[in-house]
Amino acid sequence: MFLLPAMAQQATAPAIPQDKKIEQKVEALLKRMTLEEKIGQMTELVSDVIGKFDQNGNFQLDNALLDTVIGKYKIGSILNAPGTIAQTKEKWQEIITGIQEKSMREIGIPCIYGLDQNHGTTYTMGGTLFPQNVNVAASFNRNLAREAARITAYETKAGSCPWTYSPTIDLGRDPRWPRIWENYGEDCYVNAEMGRAAVLGFQGEDPNHIGKQNIAVSLKHYMGYSVPFTGKDRTPVYISAQDLREKHFAPFLACVKAGALSVMANSCSVNGLPVHANYELLTQWLKEELNWDGVLVTDWADINNLWRREKVAADKKEAIKIAINAGIDMAMEPYEWDFCTLLKELVHEGEVSMSRIDDATRRVLRMKFRLGLFDTPTYDTKDFPLFGGKEHATAALHAAEETMVLLKNTDNILPLAKGKRLLVTGPNANSMRCLNGGWSYTWQGHLTNHFTDEYNTILEALANKFGQENILYEPGVTYNEKGAYWAENKPEIEKAVKAATEVDYIIACIGENSYCETPGNLTDLTLSRNQLDLVKALSATGKPVILILNEGRPRLINEIEPMAKAVVDIILPGNYGGDALANLLSGDENFSGKLPFTYPKEINSLINYDYKVSEEVEKMEGAYDYDAVVSVQWAFGYGLSYTSFSYSNLKVNKADFTADDELIFTVDVKNTGSRAGKESVLLFSSDLIASMTPDSRRLRAFEKIALQPEEVKTVTLKLPASSLAFVGYDGKWILEKGDFRIQAGNQTLNITCQETKKWETPNR
């Protein structure tokens, strides 16, 4: 495996300054524990192995199974919703209370329960669902990310669950990948900033003492998971040593520094070696370099996959040895407890050291003490009166409004004129499942429509906003809800075309149905033929078409984009997405989202905004007329508004600088339109000459501001000059002497680094 060369370890301060009292409690408990109890703390099983559904469909704990799992094997962690179906907060309290009572009675150590609360309280009925992470990234608003996480933590704790497998901070750089919507877009800085904000929202400011209304995070998926060579989930990844350190590691570095208590490992291989077997990435990079004392947990059954799928181990026992010695602290089995028996054998055989067992157990115990589980293993739901209430609903609505992106608005057709008749069409027009995507009440989100009667689909929200008498609904294309996520019923396009004769505008809601992980793989990024044909037929009527893109990843629409007068990408906005869209289309609210990814135009031109300058190839002269100029549908950071903004007076405090300086940029931004709006001010840098081919540009800072008409604000953007460094061919960070171009809006200026600096340690 080609990674970075061995580097001298830097003497770093602890990522989380330790609390002496907690450390004393951990050590005292560790000394009293048997080997079996220690291994139990390193094991995580799914809730389905400790209970069953009764004839009424209610999940009940099974005392005999609890005796085996907790009484005999001393299991220290349980995860997931029973049957992967959301439960009420009262049911969660019942389940977790039963587990905790058993755990405290049998081993004197509380269980830690974990849920994938990935875009709000996704596994708790009646909770608040926010837009997915990729939407949050489109807001370029750190406060939104933090507030969504804070509310999610509050509502999750109402059911006594103390741990979530979130935030996801992989880089969504390949639009084919079915999990791109779980991340904060393609840029490492945005993922780092939004991820950090989410960590603080979930956990609070003090990671040693997680508050009553906070929960622990598990960052995922460490790392490189999101750029599979095939574009399909859980398939091999090949990343340069430079990109691995410089881009993919960056969000995890920022979030660990913010106090993240746990990290989940990447399911697949990076450069030929499965991450669950990679001592360098798991132990050296994450634990030793960062002096991080948190818990490193596997993803679903990934120790088993070392021998079943990856073929780097002969059997499960060897796979356990490899993973634990590589640095894994907790195994998400999730159905089998033979992990406990096999790991015990490995210890007795000298294949896994007691020091490694003690280190892993110590980390698990430390997290439980930091969560206060020994003192308060469960909570009273009555102590969380804001659960699912109006205050949280309002926050989710505003979040949805701020994360939708206006991509096209020819002749200012939007906002829609009052009193006009609208045809609402397309398979996404009347579905809450489509608005939420995966990780919504169930893993695949396929049952969402059964849980969301109180919320409005796009159709319902538009009827409420514009009047039922002005709305005509004819979908033309519908999804087959009993089939795969991509399955569609026989189209009835002619019905939609006929209905279009009776309206003034066509609102075509197209995109994808919900999916998650491997079931969401695809073979063609182009939007479905039925949906493309629907839009073409509607366009032929001569009525203006407004495309509403409701999709987890950017599906190719270059065939139909020219036919649309307006295009809005709402991505996956959550339960309040329909209401938010209606508010925006009516002009009651203003668009302010910007794309957090590059929207591709052609399947063979998938590219990110920070591509290498040498990728932009001009036409060659003569017989070889290669036309390989970079082509995209819409660029990263693109997004329109109902108002306009102008930039001026871009300045910097030091035009000549060194690596130790802080660069302070200021730029004046004016609202030159007639209505209030919000603008995300993005600051990019371009290294003009470097010893390695430089990226075309990199996002270095951003701030979101609100401006009234004619109002001017001076925006200040600060960054350490060292952030302009890159990882060189030798694997070391370097900031080279030379010129950089800085850009904000249409303003540019050049700055100059006066001397070269190379770092001998892995991180700047």
Side-chain angles (χ1 to χ4, degrees):
M1 179 181 184
F2 173 57
L3 285 173
L4 297 185
M7 299 181 181
Q9 294 297 318
Q10 57 182 337
T12 59
I16 305 173
Q18 292 182 341
D19 181 285
K20 291 183 179 180
K21 291 183 179 180
I22 289 178
E23 296 307 308
Q24 290 170 355
K25 291 178 181 178
V26 169
E27 295 305 320
L29 180 54
L30 190 66
K31 289 178 181 178
R32 301 196 301 267
M33 294 174 66
T34 65
L35 175 59
E36 290 82 1
E37 289 172 337
K38 292 175 181 179
I39 291 174
Q41 291 300 303
M42 298 171 62
T43 311
E44 184 175 45
L45 299 181
V46 71
S47 57
D48 296 311
V49 305
I50 57 170
K52 300 175 182 177
F53 286 93
D54 62 22
Q55 59 185 6
N56 297 318
N58 295 315
F59 182 78
Q60 305 293 339
L61 293 175
D62 185 302
N63 288 328
L65 292 172
L66 279 176
D67 284 339
T68 299
V69 169
I70 295 178
K72 181 178 180 179
Y73 290 100
K74 318 299 182 185
I75 302 302
S77 182
I78 304 293
L79 83 150
N80 208 19
T84 68
I85 298 175
Q87 305 294 310
T88 66
K89 64 181 184 298
E90 291 80 13
K91 173 57 76 170
W92 277 126
Q93 187 187 41
E94 174 191 318
I95 293 170
I96 295 175
T97 296
I99 293 170
Q100 295 293 32
E101 289 176 349
K102 183 72 171 181
S103 188
M104 295 302 290
R105 184 168 59 249
E106 293 288 340
I107 55 180
I109 300 173
C111 175
I112 182 167
Y113 204 106
L115 286 173
D116 288 283
Q117 306 283 53
N118 285 353
H119 69 112
T121 322
T122 51
Y123 272 130
T124 310
M125 292 168 58
T128 306
L129 268 62
F130 282 85
Q132 296 281 359
N133 282 355
V134 70
N135 283 73
V136 175
S139 74
F140 284 90
N141 185 342
R142 299 171 181 85
N143 293 332
L144 192 157
R146 183 164 181 169
E147 184 68 356
R150 183 194 67 79
I151 290 172
T152 301
Y154 177 98
E155 295 192 346
T156 301
K157 206 64 167 289
S160 289
C161 180
W163 191 24
T164 183
Y165 308 112
S166 185
T168 302
I169 50 173
D170 303 311
L171 306 184
R173 297 175 69 81
D174 188 332
R176 300 172 301 169
W177 189 52
R179 305 190 72 170
I180 189 172
W181 46 270
E182 296 184 50
N183 311 271
Y184 296 103
E186 70 184 47
D187 178 64
C188 63
Y189 179 69
V190 176
N191 273 272
E193 290 293 291
M194 294 300 191
R196 180 181 183 277
V199 169
L200 295 173
F202 279 121
Q203 294 191 171
E205 298 281 354
D206 183 357
N208 273 307
H209 305 93
I210 303 298
K212 176 181 178 179
Q213 298 179 358
N214 296 104
I215 59 177
V217 302
S218 184
L219 311 176
K220 60 188 188 185
H221 308 81
Y222 180 80
M223 66 178 168
Y225 178 39
S226 57
V227 287
F229 182 77
T230 65
K232 294 180 170 58
D233 188 42
R234 285 178 166 83
T235 57
V237 168
Y238 302 93
I239 307 174
S240 72
Q242 290 72 29
D243 273 1
L244 196 63
R245 172 70 73 174
E246 187 176 329
K247 296 179 181 178
H248 292 270
F249 188 55
F252 292 94
L253 176 63
C255 291
V256 164
K257 287 183 176 180
L261 294 188
S262 69
V263 171
M264 182 182 291
N266 169 7
S267 291
C268 58
S269 64
V270 174
N271 298 339
L273 183 63
V275 172
H276 282 69
N278 193 320
Y279 178 84
E280 182 176 10
L281 292 186
L282 299 183
T283 297
Q284 292 180 336
W285 285 35
L286 181 60
K287 294 181 176 181
E288 294 178 355
E289 287 180 12
L290 303 185
N291 202 1
W292 178 67
D293 62 9
V295 175
L296 186 53
V297 62
T298 76
D299 204 341
W300 191 271
D302 275 334
I303 289 181
N304 291 333
N305 286 330
L306 291 180
W307 65 280
R308 287 178 174 166
R309 186 184 68 204
E310 299 292 349
K311 306 300 182 183
V312 297
D315 53 28
K316 183 170 184 175
K317 187 173 180 179
E318 185 180 14
I320 292 171
K321 180 183 79 169
I322 291 171
I324 300 303
N325 286 336
I328 292 296
D329 301 312
M330 182 185 287
M332 186 186 292
E333 270 295 283
Y335 292 103
E336 304 165 343
W337 45 73
D338 61 343
F339 170 87
C340 301
T341 303
L342 295 172
L343 181 53
K344 182 179 177 180
E345 291 176 5
L346 288 165
V347 173
H348 288 317
E349 294 164 4
E351 297 295 326
V352 175
S353 69
M354 272 306 303
S355 62
R356 178 76 269 271
I357 297 295
D358 285 345
D359 174 58
T361 307
R362 185 179 289 114
R363 290 168 180 271
V364 175
L365 295 177
R366 181 182 293 121
M367 180 162 68
K368 292 182 177 183
F369 275 112
R370 284 170 165 169
L371 282 163
L373 291 177
F374 284 86
D375 298 322
T376 314
T378 58
Y379 290 84
D380 191 333
T381 58
K382 296 178 182 178
D383 291 338
F384 299 85
L386 300 180
F387 178 94
K390 185 176 181 180
E391 180 180 320
H392 294 177
T394 299
L397 173 62
H398 290 335
E401 291 167 348
E402 199 164 330
T403 64
M404 295 182 178
V405 187
L406 178 60
L407 295 171
K408 183 178 182 180
N409 193 19
T410 306
D411 300 326
N412 293 318
I413 191 173
L414 299 178
L416 290 171
K418 304 294 183 182
K420 299 295 185 179
R421 285 179 57 78
L422 310 177
L423 169 62
V424 182
T425 185
N428 295 58
N430 197 30
S431 169
M432 294 303 302
R433 174 182 174 180
C434 295
L435 290 176
N436 280 287
W439 294 123
S440 303
Y441 305 105
T442 62
W443 175 41
Q444 293 294 313
H446 64 297
L447 300 180
T448 297
N449 291 340
H450 300 300
F451 291 89
T452 50
D453 286 344
E454 64 188 286
Y455 305 104
N456 294 317
T457 65
I458 295 174
L459 172 66
E460 292 164 343
L462 291 177
N464 291 340
K465 179 66 66 172
F466 294 96
Q468 184 65 57
E469 68 279 6
N470 292 319
I471 301 295
L472 192 59
Y473 173 58
E474 190 60 63
V477 176
T478 55
Y479 295 118
N480 177 0
E481 296 294 344
K482 295 182 180 180
Y485 81 92
W486 45 263
E488 295 173 350
N489 297 311
K490 183 179 179 181
E492 297 180 314
I493 295 174
E494 66 284 353
K495 290 184 178 181
V497 170
K498 182 179 179 181
T501 62
E502 303 178 35
V503 302
D504 301 299
Y505 298 104
I506 298 169
I507 312 295
C509 306
I510 59 177
E512 297 181 312
N513 212 350
S514 75
Y515 54 84
C516 191
E517 300 188 48
T518 303
N521 286 339
L522 49 60
T523 56
D524 189 347
L525 198 56
T526 306
L527 191 67
S528 79
R529 177 49 51 190
N530 287 340
Q531 295 188 53
L532 294 174
D533 288 345
L534 171 66
V535 174
K536 289 179 180 179
L538 291 170
S539 173
T541 68
K543 298 296 177 69
V545 175
I546 297 160
L547 292 183
I548 307 299
L549 307 179
N550 174 202
E551 51 195 13
R553 55 196 154 195
R555 301 296 294 266
L556 300 182
I557 59 167
N558 60 77
E559 290 183 40
I560 59 173
E561 180 275 328
M563 303 173 185
K565 296 284 285 185
V567 181
V568 179
D569 194 352
I570 67 172
I571 321 179
L572 298 174
N575 276 337
Y576 297 93
D579 297 317
L581 179 62
N583 290 343
L584 290 163
L585 293 182
S586 68
D588 291 344
E589 297 293 335
N590 198 352
F591 286 96
S592 67
K594 292 180 182 290
L595 285 179
F597 51 77
T598 303
Y599 203 115
K601 188 174 185 178
E602 300 155 333
I603 192 60
N604 287 337
S605 294
L606 303 182
I607 199 165
N608 301 122
Y609 89 95
D610 52 355
Y611 61 85
K612 298 296 182 183
V613 294
S614 53
E615 293 181 58
E616 189 170 351
V617 182
E618 301 296 336
K619 286 188 176 184
M620 298 179 68
E621 297 180 359
Y624 299 100
D625 187 13
Y626 295 136
D627 187 4
V629 176
V630 169
S631 174
V632 301
Q633 193 75 58
W634 291 286
F636 170 88
Y638 182 79
L640 302 174
S641 168
Y642 291 147
T643 190
S644 55
F645 301 94
S646 66
Y647 287 69
S648 62
N649 300 321
L650 177 61
K651 298 177 181 178
V652 65
N653 64 326
K654 292 188 176 183
D656 299 309
F657 65 92
T658 66
D660 298 325
D661 288 329
E662 180 183 45
L663 299 175
I664 303 175
F665 297 91
T666 58
V667 64
D668 293 340
V669 182
K670 180 179 181 180
N671 183 342
T672 55
S674 59
R675 61 174 296 167
K678 295 179 181 179
E679 170 74 347
S680 294
V681 181
L682 311 183
L683 186 80
F684 295 92
S685 73
S686 297
D687 194 344
L688 299 183
I689 300 293
S691 57
M692 290 186 67
T693 302
D695 294 337
S696 58
R697 60 177 185 160
R698 291 285 295 278
L699 181 68
R700 300 300 185 184
F702 62 84
E703 292 293 339
K704 193 159 194 176
I705 58 173
L707 293 171
Q708 295 296 318
E710 298 302 313
E711 183 181 5
V712 179
K713 284 185 179 178
T714 299
V715 180
T716 300
L717 300 158
K718 300 179 180 180
L719 63 148
S722 60
S723 66
L724 298 176
F726 62 93
V727 176
Y729 196 75
D730 62 359
K732 297 181 179 180
W733 285 96
I734 185 170
L735 176 61
E736 293 178 338
K737 180 179 180 180
D739 295 333
F740 294 79
R741 182 174 63 248
I742 304 298
Q743 181 175 6
N746 62 353
Q747 299 289 293
T748 62
L749 60 79
N750 280 19
I751 58 176
T752 303
C753 180
Q754 293 297 302
E755 58 185 36
T756 296
K757 179 175 180 177
K758 179 176 286 191
W759 285 259
E760 295 301 324
T761 51
N763 300 299
R764 292 162 294 175

